[in-house]
Amino acid sequence: MEGQPRVVCSIPNVFSCEWVTDNVLFHTRQDNLQCRSVYAAEFSRESTTRLVYHEKDPRFFVDLYMTRDHRFLTINSNSKTCAEVWLVDCSAPYMPPALVQNRLPGVIYHVEHRNGCLYILTTYGEPADYKLMTAPLNSDVQQWKPIYRVPAESRLLDMEMLEDYCLMFLRQKNELHMDVISLSREAVIGSLKLPAWACALQPESRPEERTSTIDFYLESPVHPPVMFAYSVPDKKLSVEAGYSREESKTCHLVRMNAKSKDGTLVPVTVFYKAESGLRDRPLLVHVYGAYGMDLNMSFKAEKRMLVEDGWILAYCHVRGGGELGCNWHKQGNLEKKQNGLDDLEACIVHVHGRGFSQPSRTALEAASAGGVLAGALYNSRPWLLQAMVLEAPFLDVLTTMMDPSLPLTIEEHEEWGSPQTNVQHYRAIQAYCPYQNITPQNYPSVLITAYENDQRVALSGLLRYMKKLRTAALCHFQRSALPDWRMPNILLDVQPGGSHCDSLSWEDSLKKVATHLAFLHKELKL
């Protein structure tokens, strides 16, 4: 039928793509969790595809980004600790990509372009946190000139380039802020503290190049997204029609700091509804603490429902995550991963000490790499919890990192270490690894959600973990001659067909949440 779309070409396993011209599409393909090649597909009289770039080092992952002015396509090859960027001139897409700067150990950088100059967001130089630098085209790192530095102990959440401005969205002292940089003057011309209830930020879309206004959403685990707009010339922050400030006051938010074992202050964010009877309320603790990533604090309807039902939610921003900048991550990875475990323990003890709940009413929730710290605490401090809920958790760090044949092991060495070649890394991992440290003791109950097709956390590994944990719990139960009700529930919920932390359908997601909540209510005797 005339006017109906037709399939011209089908490209499998595309991870990222950008139209460089009307007829030329650059794309990457993901294979076995790795993405290392860039292709250009031309759609003219005859469709052709050619290899543009290939990354040989398995530690690196390749993706594409179009600069805001559509002058260059950037090919970004990133490992956990360093980066390399190549530029494709959109006016000459058949020319070989041009290298911006050879990769340097410990240096991450990203590239934007404006008026013939590169704007480079990078960790190059001291202090080793993010800076915005400018440089001519075809220059080396010695010619990069800093025009902005992220404040100490702050987390850069997002950078947006407008017509003559650059906006830096930051997390400072666990609150959201925005710095406004004039690109023509190369100076900060304004700073703004965003609403105190906000915990997460998401730009609505990439703004047009020639604009001086940006739209973005603010949200929290218990507050649905609200759209805000900021006009740089007017220095005005406006909010969408119909927004009520009273809605953000229905749930109390408290930001506090827990003192870890080495004296480091660790941020904790707590949500609750009413002031009285907090000691007897159920508490759900959240943790991640890996890859320099922030703990997910986006809105989830079930979190809002829990607070309305009287629950307390605590989000522990431990070392290994990125909440206080790049150094916060470095203090909690490789052989320093124990710091994250000490932080988590300190956060829970501190929250209890402030009058929020008690161990018999406390549950711990984590997903993916967050399972490392959660599973380690489950072994080392089981008396702090009554129950634990894990989703696709990484629990056998040592066995995984000893097997270079697995798709992510080599890439992950920069986060967890290389136990095959480094004795210090081996001993550090062995000391905290959840699977390796299972021992007969009085464990809390646990529910683990696994995914049948999960390539990152294989179902077979979780089955081994469950078998070893059940054996240890039963051994303690029988040796101590405990009553039947003292035997913990150790449950595995396998989501058929799902991938890593992702159910197949909305219905499956609802069932998963319902299963988690039912388990928590039963174990905390609500």
Side-chain angles (χ1 to χ4, degrees):
M1 183 181 297
E2 190 173 333
Q4 289 292 315
R6 62 188 180 88
V7 177
V8 175
C9 178
S10 177
I11 307 173
N13 303 324
V14 170
F15 179 80
S16 60
C17 63
E18 293 282 358
W19 286 100
V20 174
T21 70
D22 290 343
N23 296 319
V24 179
L25 176 72
F26 277 63
H27 62 275
T28 62
R29 299 177 191 171
Q30 188 172 16
D31 181 36
N32 200 26
L33 299 181
Q34 296 180 328
C35 196
R36 293 163 55 193
S37 298
V38 178
Y39 302 88
E42 181 184 2
F43 301 96
S44 52
R45 293 182 180 178
E46 293 184 7
S47 298
T48 59
T49 300
R50 60 187 174 91
L51 178 67
V52 174
Y53 174 87
H54 178 70
E55 174 57 66
K56 297 179 181 179
D57 192 328
R59 296 175 302 157
F60 286 77
F61 192 95
V62 177
D63 66 6
L64 305 175
Y65 172 80
M66 185 70 72
T67 59
R68 191 58 47 84
D69 60 2
H70 291 266
R71 172 69 196 279
F72 292 104
L73 173 76
T74 67
I75 298 174
N76 309 287
S77 184
N78 300 305
S79 77
K80 294 289 189 296
T81 61
C82 65
E84 191 170 81
V85 179
W86 298 72
L87 299 181
V88 175
D89 190 333
C90 294
S91 65
Y94 299 103
M95 294 293 291
L99 177 64
V100 175
Q101 171 61 47
N102 284 314
R103 58 190 60 154
L104 300 170
V107 175
I108 299 288
Y109 73 97
H110 311 274
V111 175
E112 261 292 356
H113 177 267
R114 172 183 175 272
N115 294 342
C117 290
L118 297 181
Y119 288 86
I120 303 162
L121 185 65
T122 179
T123 59
Y124 174 73
E126 293 296 334
D129 222 314
Y130 277 104
K131 310 156 198 72
L132 182 62
M133 308 180 86
T134 183
L137 289 169
N138 306 315
S139 60
D140 62 29
V141 70
Q142 302 301 323
Q143 296 171 277
W144 294 4
K145 182 180 72 172
I147 61 175
Y148 174 83
R149 288 181 172 88
V150 171
E153 296 187 338
S154 298
R155 162 73 163 175
L156 178 62
L157 300 175
D158 191 41
M159 181 185 91
E160 293 293 341
M161 299 275 288
L162 304 181
E163 182 176 13
D164 186 40
Y165 306 100
C166 180
L167 304 185
M168 295 290 189
F169 293 96
L170 309 169
R171 189 186 307 278
Q172 293 180 282
K173 296 182 179 178
N174 208 17
E175 294 185 298
L176 303 189
H177 293 251
M178 178 175 64
D179 282 349
V180 182
I181 305 164
S182 169
L183 298 178
S184 59
R185 293 160 54 184
E186 297 186 351
V188 176
I189 60 171
S191 295
L192 178 70
K193 182 179 177 181
L194 298 175
W197 59 263
C199 298
L201 175 142
Q202 181 65 47
E204 184 195 20
S205 60
R206 291 175 61 179
E208 295 296 325
E209 181 198 4
R210 299 189 180 281
T211 183
S212 55
T213 300
I214 186 172
D215 297 331
F216 54 91
Y217 288 97
L218 297 178
E219 59 188 310
S220 83
V222 300
H223 197 298
V226 177
M227 182 185 285
F228 286 78
Y230 184 75
S231 170
V232 179
D234 299 332
K235 298 183 179 179
K236 181 180 179 182
L237 181 68
S238 56
V239 64
E240 66 183 29
Y243 168 70
S244 171
R245 294 180 184 272
E246 294 303 315
E247 185 178 352
S248 64
K249 299 178 181 178
T250 56
C251 297
H252 297 291
L253 182 157
V254 175
R255 293 181 170 95
M256 58 183 74
N257 290 300
K259 183 177 287 189
S260 194
K261 187 175 182 180
D262 62 359
T264 300
L265 296 179
V266 183
V268 188
T269 309
V270 176
F271 299 90
Y272 62 101
K273 189 169 184 180
E275 297 283 357
S276 60
L278 293 176
R279 175 66 66 187
D280 296 322
R281 299 284 186 82
L283 168 66
L284 184 57
V285 177
H286 304 74
V287 70
Y288 188 71
Y291 304 116
M293 294 174 60
D294 291 3
L295 182 57
N296 184 0
M297 299 193 72
S298 59
F299 174 71
K300 286 185 172 57
E302 64 269 25
K303 303 301 183 188
R304 174 67 174 258
M305 182 185 70
L306 286 176
V307 172
E308 290 180 344
D309 283 347
W311 284 68
I312 303 164
L313 306 182
Y315 290 78
C316 305
H317 309 290
V318 303
R319 283 174 284 185
E323 285 88 343
L324 270 68
C326 296
N327 194 48
W328 195 246
H329 172 225
K330 292 175 183 177
Q331 291 180 42
N333 73 341
L334 298 176
E335 67 274 13
K336 296 181 179 179
K337 186 61 69 174
Q338 179 67 37
N339 284 339
L341 178 57
D342 292 341
D343 292 353
L344 177 58
E345 177 188 353
C347 289
I348 296 174
V349 171
H350 183 79
V351 169
H352 287 161
R354 288 282 296 269
F356 294 99
S357 195
Q358 55 189 296
S360 64
R361 291 278 186 166
T362 298
L364 177 60
E365 177 180 288
S368 192
V372 174
L373 295 183
L377 186 82
Y378 185 72
N379 286 328
S380 64
R381 301 290 187 271
W383 54 85
L384 288 177
L385 309 170
Q386 184 70 19
M388 182 168 69
V389 175
L390 302 178
E391 184 173 1
F394 186 27
L395 295 170
D396 193 355
V397 185
L398 187 61
T399 302
T400 301
M401 300 312 299
M402 291 286 287
D403 186 354
S405 68
L406 296 175
L408 292 179
T409 295
I410 295 175
E411 178 185 335
E412 300 280 279
H413 279 163
E414 293 171 316
E415 175 67 25
W416 307 101
S418 308
Q420 269 194 320
T421 59
N422 188 309
V423 174
Q424 189 176 2
H425 289 172
Y426 183 97
R427 290 172 178 168
I429 295 173
Q430 188 179 45
Y432 67 76
C433 177
Y435 179 82
Q436 301 296 327
N437 289 282
I438 293 173
T439 184
Q441 61 177 317
N442 185 26
Y443 277 110
S445 293
V446 61
L447 170 63
I448 296 178
T449 300
Y451 295 86
E452 184 180 30
N453 297 330
D454 195 336
Q455 288 183 279
R456 295 179 180 272
V457 179
L459 179 58
S460 58
L462 292 180
L463 290 172
R464 288 195 303 272
Y465 175 86
M466 296 297 285
K467 181 179 179 180
K468 185 175 181 180
L469 179 60
R470 284 171 174 161
T471 300
L474 182 60
C475 177
H476 172 75
F477 174 76
Q478 294 175 336
R479 189 171 62 193
S480 305
L482 297 172
D484 289 349
W485 63 269
R486 291 285 301 277
M487 180 66 184
N489 291 306
I490 301 173
L491 308 175
L492 180 66
D493 177 26
V494 180
Q495 297 286 311
S499 60
H500 188 66
C501 293
D502 181 28
S503 297
L504 282 178
S505 66
W506 175 247
E507 289 79 10
D508 288 338
S509 181
L510 290 178
K511 290 178 182 177
K512 177 188 69 180
V513 170
T515 300
H516 289 180
L517 296 181
F519 171 80
L520 291 173
H521 276 75
K522 179 179 184 298
E523 296 302 327
L524 271 60
K525 299 178 175 57
L526 302 180

